[in-house]
Amino acid sequence: FQSVFNLEDGGFISLCKGLSAIQGLQLLELNVESCEKITDGGLAMFGVGLQGLTRLALNMKGCKAIGQDLTVFSETLASWAALKELDLNFMDCKTMSDASLVSIGRNLSKLGQLNLLRLNCVGCKDIGDDGFAAVGAGITKLTKVSDVSLKFSKCEGIGDQGLTRFALPLGRMKSLQCLSIIMENNKSVSKDGLTQLGAAIADLQQLSDLELDFADSKKIKDQAVKSLTDGIAKVASLKTLRLDFLGTGLSPDVAKHFGQITSVERLPQNSLKKPAAPAAAAPVGAAAPAAPAPAQQTMGAAEEAKP
């Protein structure tokens, strides 16, 4: 379904009832982007009677009245026991609260068949440490999930404490193969959070694809990146790595921290901050001369992660 900007709760609830009447529905993609008149009360009616869903993509981007209290919605979410793929887009839902994300995280843990999770909360400024940690606690209880993408750029309330609490149980996800965390424009994350994240990633021995984007996060310095890469270097199964620290506090010699990551096929170089040095100086993303990259490691063009 395509978005209709002036859709209100009444129309949305009627739509939900119609969907519930469809026998055997397994795949649902619903776009209500920028429907600013749909509220939490309307969303509470979504999904009732859809326990047979195996794949759901729900785009609520820009629905400014959604997010203050998603208790009922998240409890309904927990009833979709057959769900294997879930994509929730709350981007720019300005009223999205930390308590709502805590509720979603708690109920995610009940989706025992889930294999893929996409969660976009970019621009939800009221989300903080508790909400992000709850998402981590929820997904780490899912024994079948192999692909997780989390977008939390411009969520100003998430700091080292939230990232640390998120990361602590992460290493138990033995089935995880693909992990993407996008957290651009973060004002608080620094060495402590990235150190714990690196330690957790080190335990993900099935991980083959990793993307971390902390662009424009000003508190991230060289030591934070070193602590992170110390963990990444221990993942022997890693094949694809994308890192973006553009606009952070990295110095020109940061490249030395990447020489130890030997298992990857692709390591972006242009996404790292380049030195304001003469043209002859080596770019920051290139391998340091004293520690040349092994033959199987190649340097590719940066791939931007867009919300």
Side-chain angles (χ1 to χ4, degrees):
F1 293 93
Q2 291 299 311
S3 178
V4 181
F5 291 159
N6 61 354
L7 189 65
E8 301 181 6
D9 277 348
F12 184 71
I13 291 173
S14 296
L15 173 61
C16 292
K17 290 180 178 179
L19 292 172
S20 299
I22 302 175
Q23 297 294 321
L25 187 63
Q26 294 185 337
L27 167 62
L28 176 59
E29 297 181 5
L30 180 59
N31 178 12
V32 291
E33 180 177 338
S34 299
C35 291
E36 299 182 2
K37 296 180 181 180
I38 299 177
T39 69
D40 294 342
L43 188 61
M45 297 301 298
F46 177 79
V48 177
L50 295 180
Q51 282 73 23
L53 282 179
T54 58
R55 295 173 59 193
L56 171 65
L58 180 57
N59 180 13
M60 296 163 283
K61 177 182 177 181
C63 294
K64 297 180 179 179
I66 285 178
Q68 186 63 37
D69 184 359
L70 296 183
T71 303
V72 176
F73 170 76
S74 62
E75 289 174 350
T76 302
L77 173 71
S79 71
W80 300 330
L83 206 61
K84 295 181 179 180
E85 297 183 10
L86 176 62
D87 186 336
L88 297 177
N89 187 353
F90 293 104
M91 182 178 180
D92 292 330
C93 291
K94 301 301 183 183
T95 61
M96 185 71 176
S97 68
D98 208 35
S100 287
L101 194 61
V102 168
S103 183
I104 289 174
R106 181 172 60 247
N107 285 286
L108 276 175
S109 64
K110 300 174 184 178
L111 301 178
Q113 300 301 312
L114 201 66
N115 177 262
L116 179 148
L117 173 66
R118 301 276 184 268
L119 181 58
N120 187 342
C121 292
V122 171
C124 300
K125 295 186 177 181
D126 290 336
I127 288 176
D129 290 335
D130 289 343
F132 191 65
V135 170
I139 63 175
T140 53
K141 294 177 181 178
L142 301 174
T143 59
K144 294 185 178 181
V145 70
S146 63
D147 191 336
V148 173
S149 173
L150 304 174
K151 296 183 179 181
F152 283 81
S153 297
K154 302 178 183 178
C155 294
E156 299 175 357
I158 301 175
D160 282 333
Q161 183 186 100
L163 187 57
T164 295
R165 289 166 57 194
F166 169 87
L168 280 173
L170 186 66
R172 298 200 296 264
M173 299 184 69
K174 302 306 180 184
S175 62
L176 193 62
Q177 298 177 20
C178 301
L179 174 64
S180 174
I181 300 176
I182 310 297
M183 200 175 288
E184 297 178 348
N185 284 286
N186 183 283
K187 297 181 178 180
S188 303
V189 168
S190 61
K191 178 187 173 184
D192 290 346
L194 290 187
T195 297
Q196 190 60 56
L197 181 61
I201 289 173
D203 291 330
L204 300 175
Q205 292 305 311
Q206 299 299 316
L207 193 67
S208 62
D209 192 317
L210 176 63
E211 177 178 29
L212 300 175
D213 185 348
F214 290 90
D216 296 313
S217 299
K218 303 301 182 182
K219 284 194 173 183
I220 294 179
K221 310 295 183 184
D222 284 17
Q223 190 58 44
V225 173
K226 181 182 184 302
S227 298
L228 178 64
T229 55
D230 283 347
I232 295 174
K234 297 176 182 178
V235 185
S237 58
L238 198 62
K239 299 300 181 185
T240 303
L241 174 64
R242 306 175 190 89
L243 300 175
D244 194 338
F245 294 105
L246 182 67
T248 60
L250 302 187
S251 68
D253 65 346
V254 70
K256 64 185 179 183
H257 301 320
F258 294 92
Q260 60 185 319
I261 305 176
T262 60
S263 63
V264 296
E265 295 175 348
R266 199 161 24 144
L267 178 62
Q269 61 177 350
N270 297 327
S271 59
L272 298 175
K273 183 179 178 182
K274 295 184 179 181
V284 170
Q296 68 267 36
Q297 179 176 339
T298 60
M299 308 295 285
E303 297 180 33
E304 285 189 292
K306 298 296 183 182

